[in-house]
Every structure is written in structure tokens, then in C-alpha cells.
Amino acid sequence: MPTVLLSLVTWNSADTIEACLTSVLAQSYPDFEVWVVDNDSHDDTCSRVAALAATDARLSLHQLPRNTGFCGGHNFSLDRTNHELVLLVNPDVEMEPDYLARAVAAIRQHEQIGTVCGLLLQSQEDDPRIDSAGMNALPDGRFGLRLHGQRLSEAGPLSATYVDGADGALPLFRRRFIDDLRVQGEFFDSRFFAHKEDWDIAWRGHLYGWKTLFEPACRALHPRQFLPANLRLRRRLSGAIRTDAVKNQWLLLLKNTTARQAPGLLLRAIPRQLAILGYAALAERESLQAVRYLWQHWREIKATRQLVQLRAHQPWLPVATPGAAPLLSICVPTYHRPELLARTLRSLGPLPAEVEVIISDNSTDNDFSQKVCAHVLQDQPATQWRYFRNPAGGSAATNWVACVERARGQYILMLHDDDYLLPGGLLTMLHTLRRVRQQQHAVLFGVSVVDSGRQELQRQVPRQEKYLPPAAAVEALLTDSSLIRIPALVVSREAYLKTGGPDPSQRDTDDTDLWLRVFAYGGVLQVPAVTAAYSVHDGALTTGVFQEQNIQLLLRIFQKARTQNLLPETRLRRAESHFFHQFVLAGAYRALRHQDASGARKVLQLLRLPALRHLPVSLRWLPVQWGLRLLTLIKWSPPTPPRLVSWLRTSL
């Protein structure tokens, strides 16, 4: 694979794209490929790109069905490639032939350099004006283009130097920098769409310990057009662009301002932002939509801030030492599902040095899964993944045990072959594990519950980062039957070994039984970041698990908690009532969703078992129970539940 990806995002760029791509394809550096991601252009941009692509195999066109902005377009290419380096190229840029070669040489001077930016000039005259020489951070949370507007002769001799950030027109990024800056899987925050996203990257990169190098030998032409602070130009811009200019500045401040920065920075920023708000109220009413946006999305913005600030408290970390024991072992138990296994393995992306992958195969009829592993993982370092074919006669529990025995990592993620990681999910896990290693034995992330077509049914994510000590963790587990989705839980190898692994006698409930022991051993840290997708496929949509045998197995788990005095009896009884009512009512609901009123009635009968009949019914569950009984009588299939009752979608 080529070392460098050149990523261009176009939208009605026909006037400039041919000159830009001509300069791109003329680069002296030999090892690169070019992705042009088009945001649903309505001019002939795509036909012009396609004509050039027909003459050069290094160039490919990727057309999106809607305009996702600068951020969405580049995220599209970043999420689907794993090149060591990535150069973002604006479609109105023309590069000198040696730009890429000089930038690659510069970034390889030190592993802490995450970004290299060059000297962008506004024209080709003898003494042109400078468009940018990197960016400077301003004391009020904004960034300015360094040397912007100066004549080249006025700037004097320019030399390579570290700067506060890189303009988004032509930066070269290191892949490790890209992956480190991902939040909830995204490098560019898609909420920015197309403005100030380079400010966001510069700020986060600085917080995380990365450096940006300005290399004046890298030169390119960039006749800048968009400067939102210029009121005369601003009045000619669309309302959406002006709203984004306001909204994105507030997003920057809310996400990235550290507690230490806050007093001085906000003292300078707030007067300016109040003035902008006043101007908007008087002369630019559409920009007040920024206030509405922040009000509607403040929970998501708060969650993003938590993740950014958590990472900012960690030091910059160099590449892991080759041969060292991995931080994380990703164990993939599989059984005769090669197509799903391929999806799972592809979701891992490029493997960081701190990660190993173990595929533990219970398949007996053929070697399809082994061939899938060899094909999908052929570009991954051979020392970082291992495939094992297990003897016939094993079960899911014995496969689980085999995975733990083969793992070398400090932590273990069980990623079954029908689940998969979301973009950036692995990096998010690693950031957290680096921070809590030696402190936490179980870390629970958020999960996206999806159907067989990868459509999201719901998101199950902790509201805030919070450590639950053993008693509180056990109570949470025994209260909520859907608390744990396996691909969202990372457990230390020590906890697995000390608690004995899954108990095969627990059959379909062995995971809940195992989590009881793990949580009793070390509690659980909840992290508000969605990292994986949990698939609800046809096999999980039956009512097969909602039967008396499984009720008895689950009751055994509660009895173990009693025997070991993990909770006071009053709290355990309350948890037991919530757990079984949620479990049974969810089973009845699911049967009704599949138009099986008879099956729903059978599931509801479980609450009349002698072992459950004595459980008190809280006001939370009584109306649900009555409602489901009524629906079984009229044989009506209920709609998908709203978020307030999403607990009805439990899937064990």
C-alpha cells in the first residue's frame, strides 16, 4: 500500500479541480494515491475528475449522495484507509512538485510531529502575498493565519519552526495523530461541517501533546476566499455558513477549554462572543440558530467535552516497544460464520502496536473462517494476530476459556463474530485503558445496538464517566438485565483468571454469572463513549431464551450473590424484582413485535412461577405488564418503543 494518501473533498469545484489534480499527480514523491470525495456536486466536477482518473491509476473518485461538508468528506476517506501519512488537499490549491516530498521528510524528523504545514501563497507574482504560514493561537480561543496578507519580501527569511496549528488547506498528518485525535470515532467533528475544523484539530493536537511543524520549503498556491471576520464579505455568505461560523466557535470553547485555561481564556472570549450575539440579534438573525443548536445538543456536546478533557489529562505516548506484552487482546470467538467474521475483522482497522488479535474457531465442517482470517488480516503485522482451530465438541463457554488462556494482553475484549467495532472505537478504548491500567479491572463503554442490516435500533451509553465499586456494580448488574453488551466490556486478564472464567453449567446465562464475579472482584468503570456495535440478528430475536429453564439459571446467580453476601437482602430483593420483570416483559414485547401473541402469553406466564410470584411489582413495571397483557388479547403488534422505554429491547 502507498505510504501517503492525498484526500480531496470537492463540491462544485469544476473551476479549479483540474489544475489542482494536475499539480497533485505531478508530485515527485513516488509512493502515494489520491482519493477525491465528491459531496454531491451539481456541476461537472465529477466528470472532470473521472476523465483524469482514467489516465492515472493513482487517482480514484468516490461520490457521496449528499453534501457532508469538508469534515464529512475527509472523514469518509480517513475511515476507509490506513496509510501512514495523509495530506489533505483543498480543490483550489496548486502544489509545487516537491511539496509532498519535503513535507514527508519534515514529518519524519521526530515522531512527536503530528502535522506539517507549508507556505501557502495567494498568487504567482514575483512578490506574492502570503496566505498562511501555519496558525497562531489567540488568547480568546480563536486562531489566526500566521503572516496572512504580508508580502513574501516583508516576512523576511523564513525557517522551519513549530507553530500552534496548520491551516486546513494543505496539512500533512501522521496516521497516529489522526487516530489519537478521534472522538467517538471521528477525526473531524462532523458538527463543524466546513468551518473552523482546523482550529479544532490544532487545539486538540496541542492538548494531547503533538507538535505542528511549519516547513517553508513546502510551497503551494492558495487564493483564499473565505474570511468570516470580514463583514463586507460576510454579508455575501449564506445564512448556513454564517450560523456555522458562530456555532463552531462556541463548540470550540465548550469542548476544548481546560479547567486551567478557563479563567483567562473565557475572560477574553466572552465579551467578543456577547458582541457577536448582539450583532446577530440586530443584523443577522439567522445566526441565532447557533443558540438553538447548542440548546438542543448540549448533552452530546457535554459528552464530547468529557472525552476530550479525559484524553488531555494523559501524556503524549510514543509508539509501543516492539515485542512488549500488548495492552489489549481482542479475542474473536467464531463458529461457522465466515461472512460475519470478515466484517468483524475489517472493523478493527490498522492494529496499533499495543493490540493483539486472537481468533478462536470452533468450526468443524470446513476451513472457511481460517481463509477469511488470512485474507482480511494479510496487511496486518503478522506478529499481532493469531488464528486457532479448536478441537470438535467445544462450546461457547470452552471457546471463551480458550481465548483467555491464549491472550497475552493486560486487558481482554471479547468481540464475537457477529459484532464489530465502530470507527475510532479501538482508539477510544486504548486511550481509556492507558489511563486506568493498574487501577481498573472492568471498563464498560457504550454500544450501538444494530439489526442484521446494520441499522441502529438504539444507543446504550453511560451518561457520564463513573466508577462503581463492587457492591454498586453488582447491584447495577442484578437490576438491569441488559446492562452488559459483551463487545462494550473490557476486562483485565487478572480478573478473568482470579474469578475462574465462564461456568458452562450456567448455559445461556454464563455471561451474567461471570460478570457477577468480575464486578464483585473489582467493580466497573463506566465510560460515555460508543465503541462497538452489538448485533441483534434473527437468532437473537426468538423467544427461546425466555423460558423456565433460564429463569432457574438466573435465580442461581441471585442465590450465589446471597450466599456470598454481595448485597444486603433488601437491596438484593429490589434488584431481583426489577431484573426479572424487565427480562420477562421484554420477552413478551419481543414476541408481540413478531406477531406471536401466543408466545407473548407464554412468556408472561413466567411471572407466575412460584420462584417469581413472590416478587413485589414496582409502579415502574405494573402498567407495562397490564399493557402487554391487553396487547396479547387483541393480538396487536406494538411499535418500536421510544427512548424512555428502550429497556424493553433487552437481548441476552
Side-chain angles (χ1 to χ4, degrees), residues 4 25 33 49 58 119 142 146 269 353 447 491:
V4 187
L25 297 173
E33 68 173 312
V49 174
R58 295 174 297 175
L119 179 64
R142 295 179 297 144
R146 186 168 169 267
V447 67
V491 177

Side-chain angles (χ1 to χ4, degrees), residues 50 80 122 134 143 162 197 235 309 378 402 442 489 491 584 652:
R80 290 161 176 80
Q122 292 185 345
F143 283 76
Y162 290 119
E197 75 293 324
R235 293 190 184 99
Q309 298 303 316
Q378 62 182 333
L489 184 65
V491 177
V584 172
L652 295 186

Side-chain angles (χ1 to χ4, degrees), residues 207 256-266 305 309 313:
L207 288 179
N256 300 325
T257 304
T258 66
R260 180 177 295 181
Q261 291 174 324
L265 191 149
L266 295 180
R305 172 177 171 77
Q309 298 303 316
H313 282 85

Side-chain angles (χ1 to χ4, degrees), residues 8 16-25 89-94:
L8 286 83
T16 61
I17 190 61
E18 288 172 312
C20 174
L21 287 176
T22 298
S23 74
V24 164
L25 297 173
V89 185
N90 268 21
D92 58 349
V93 161
E94 294 180 40

Side-chain angles (χ1 to χ4, degrees), residues 391-440:
S395 65
T398 61
N399 200 351
W400 198 318
V401 171
C403 285
V404 174
E405 291 176 345
R406 291 159 176 162
R408 299 184 301 117
Q410 183 176 345
Y411 290 92
I412 297 174
L413 170 68
M414 302 300 297
L415 186 65
H416 288 107
D417 60 7
D418 55 346
D419 301 324
Y420 54 93
L421 296 182
L422 299 176
L426 177 55
L427 275 300
T428 299
M429 290 181 178
L430 290 176
H431 293 334
T432 302
L433 296 179
R434 293 185 193 119
R435 177 169 51 89
V436 304
R437 72 172 96 195
Q438 311 298 336
Q439 303 172 38
Q440 302 292 344

